[in-house]
Amino acid sequence: MAAETTSVPSSFTSSLREDRIFPPPAEFASQASIRSREQYDALYRRSIEDSDAFWAEQAQLLDWFQPFHTVLEWNVPHAKWFTGGTLNLCYNAVDRHAKGARASKTALIWEGEPGEVRSLTYEELHIEVQRFANVLKNLGVKKGDRVAIYMGVSPEIVLAVLACARLGAVHNVVFGGFAAHALADRMADSECRVLITQDAGFRRGQEVPLKSIADEAVERTPGVEHVLVYRRCGREVPMKEGRDHWLHEELAKVSSECPAEPMDSEDPLFILYTSGTTGKPKGLVHTTAGYGLGTMLTSKYIFDLQEQDVYWCTADVGWITGHSYVVYGPLLNGATALLYEGAPNWPEVDRFWDIVDRHKVSIFYTAPTAIRAFMKWGAEHVRKHSLSTLRLLGTVGEPINPEAWMWYHREIGHERCPIVDTWWQTETGSIMIAPIPGAVATKPGSATLPFFGVLPEIVTKEGEPVPPGHGGLLVIRKPWPAMARTIYGNPDRYQAAYWSEIPGSYFTGDGARRDEDGYFWLMGRVDDVLNVSGHRLGTMEIESALVAHTKVTEAAIVGRPDDLKGEGIVAFVSVVDGTEVDKSLADELKKFVAKEIGALARPDEIRFTQALPKTRSGKIMRRLLRELAATGDVKGDTTTLEDFSVVAKLKEKDEE
Ligand code: WTA
């Protein structure tokens, strides 16, 4: 199979310069667990030069049922970490904190969008997760089974995830914003037997009918035998006899004792689907020990978690950020994590800041797209709140523009809180490049330096190192514990997508440059993956959805820069001869995509064309389409068919 990439855009070499430097604030550094650049450098050097010893030592942060005998077996691209060891991540995230001093410590604080608040101590979490696991057991779930989870953000989704981990079942969380078709594909591909969902969820004052979407998906997925339904909204939903079960009724039948299954280090923990360039979404498989250690260690050092922190990552559990930094990372460290169900602008645009003050949040982790939205809504809404409990800020998901970074620093961090810009991916499992906040000076827009054990490099398409200041492809030269192990059911695709472009190295699909200080500046994807509001989408998925519409013959999706969302979605569409093109057809197609994939994939703009511009060899001229979408060099009128054949002829040489 062909590798999933293209070339480095030429704009990468002429990127902006940013000279501001922010050293770690002295007060922060004096209390941080890593408090000087020298300390970071020494640990980093050891993690690279003596990596087995480094990781063997760090792995003691986890509780093992059986110790491992080998740190790493590396047979490109197959890594096995901590072989011979057995452990359970639910035990590590819950049980070990539920005894002793942390038993009465708050593990989760949850706020629903309508305003109710619930919290659970580690002791309570321990009881609830065992009951939840027993419910799954009664449905026949056992080690190795795949369980789909399609829910909103609540303590119940955390319990669902951890209950799977407790039994050794492999969770496959599907973001609640995905449509029935997308859910069905993911459940079918991972051969799920059980689905956990809820009646509905609250979003911006509306109820999202999760159960009825799930019903539609399950109709198309005969392998799903049981559907477990959490009653969140008290909505009347049809329950299918023998297949559907109310969670609260099942919980009433079970005991609160359920031992944690000993898992081999390399036993799969979860499958999470993400978009690539070609084909359908990929089910990345993460395994137990390496993922657990990676998320635990990065949370500990990059968020500098301390015993009294209230930590809030605003991501949905349905994305990798939610897996690693809402659920596993904080709980493995015995931290207090806040969960919020709803939208940042409900009922007002200051909801987040209201939450920060009321719950005394000290660490806050969000996406640049959210920061840009707050900027647009106006600092006056932020200034109504004190935000005095905050001590550390983080960002993730897309490059942060220096303006947004400075605004975050000033308006949210009050020039007191370090900002950790964290670069990583679904595939990497845990954060790869980010400042250690008490040790590394930050520069607005740079993710700064690699985490321990991570060896990134910028290279040309041929794999040659690129000198400082120049753009190139970001690759990782060494295996790391939390790396994905394979694509579920498709090891060849795993090899082709990540390990064939630059042989022997992990190919990230991102462009980047490194400056004279060794800092990394991420420049966005070099392939056809879009990043819309920090959500990753494949152009192919949206194109397939469009061509499923009876009036569409061909479609090409490209991204265009968007001030708020990072990237907007533009669809170039050719239609069946004789079809009248007008605004209502454009609207119909936008709705169609939202219905097929989910609202997150809805195109911002539809451009009708007689034919898609293609090279002589038949490839769609995507670079040309990107240029056209970005410059608006099209008629700007959805009622006319564009003819790109002339401009395509002129550009053909560039694209071949
Ligand atoms: C992008 C999200 C710049 C990048 C954790 C990557 C970033 C993709 C950053 C992965 C960052 C993530 N700076 N770009 N700090 N963080 N990205 O799999 O293009 O949803 O390849 O994982 O998001 O998206 P994914």
Side-chain angles (χ1 to χ4, degrees), residues 354-422:
D354 180 47
I355 292 177
V356 166
D357 275 2
R358 270 187 296 109
H359 297 292
K360 303 189 168 43
V361 171
S362 55
I363 301 173
F364 178 75
Y365 187 35
T366 198
T369 190
I371 299 167
R372 291 191 297 265
F374 295 126
M375 287 170 74
K376 192 182 105 191
W377 294 333
E380 65 275 19
H381 303 288
V382 180
R383 291 183 190 150
K384 285 190 241 160
H385 303 274
S386 108
L387 308 185
S388 59
T389 50
L390 288 174
R391 62 179 202 95
L392 177 69
L393 305 175
T395 73
V396 58
E398 45 174 333
I400 180 163
N401 45 314
E403 298 70 34
W405 196 102
M406 288 305 299
W407 189 91
Y408 199 30
H409 172 68
R410 228 179 24 247
E411 299 294 341
I412 309 301
H414 296 172
E415 302 182 359
R416 170 188 80 236
C417 306
I419 296 178
V420 292
D421 174 357
T422 63

Side-chain angles (χ1 to χ4, degrees), residues 254-268:
V254 296
S255 85
S256 55
E257 252 169 69
C258 174
E261 184 75 26
M263 304 297 290
D264 284 343
S265 290
E266 283 297 336
D267 276 338

Side-chain angles (χ1 to χ4, degrees), residues 119-257:
S119 53
L120 283 116
T121 63
Y122 273 98
E123 209 169 13
E124 289 163 337
L125 191 59
H126 189 215
I127 294 168
E128 295 307 321
V129 79
Q130 294 185 83
R131 295 176 68 212
F132 205 119
N134 277 331
V135 168
L136 293 179
K137 239 186 191 170
N138 282 350
L139 296 178
V141 173
K142 50 186 192 321
K143 185 171 176 173
D145 286 349
R146 272 83 50 206
V147 173
I149 299 175
Y150 182 67
M151 300 173 85
V153 173
S154 62
E156 279 66 21
I157 192 173
V158 178
L159 290 168
V161 163
L162 292 175
C164 287
R166 191 166 193 88
L167 299 175
V170 179
H171 54 79
N172 169 16
V173 184
V174 179
F175 171 58
F178 277 117
H181 201 140
L183 172 59
D185 282 352
R186 286 159 175 76
M187 291 195 294
D189 188 76
S190 56
E191 303 164 289
C192 289
R193 292 189 43 228
V194 171
L195 165 66
I196 310 172
T197 187
Q198 60 191 57
D199 52 354
F202 289 110
R203 186 79 195 176
R204 216 159 286 142
Q206 305 282 315
E207 282 185 29
V208 185
L210 292 169
K211 171 69 163 65
S212 57
I213 301 169
D215 282 341
E216 205 184 317
V218 173
E219 289 305 314
R220 304 184 199 200
T221 328
V224 176
E225 295 158 20
H226 295 288
V227 179
L228 187 61
V229 188
Y230 159 51
R231 178 175 273 164
R232 161 66 186 120
C233 299
R235 185 183 246 249
E236 280 298 315
V237 292
M239 297 290 281
K240 192 167 168 181
E241 185 67 35
R243 186 196 74 180
D244 297 354
H245 317 268
W246 283 112
L247 174 65
H248 59 274
E249 289 174 6
E250 299 305 309
L251 282 171
K253 300 179 193 161
V254 296
S255 85
S256 55
E257 252 169 69

Side-chain angles (χ1 to χ4, degrees), residues 274 320-321 395-400 421-427 447 508 510 522 524-525 531 534 536:
T274 191
I320 190 68
T321 306
T395 73
V396 58
E398 45 174 333
I400 180 163
D421 174 357
T422 63
W423 176 85
W424 60 295
Q425 308 176 301
T426 305
E427 293 84 346
T508 64
D510 276 320
L522 276 300
R525 302 287 307 194
N531 193 326
R536 198 166 143 180

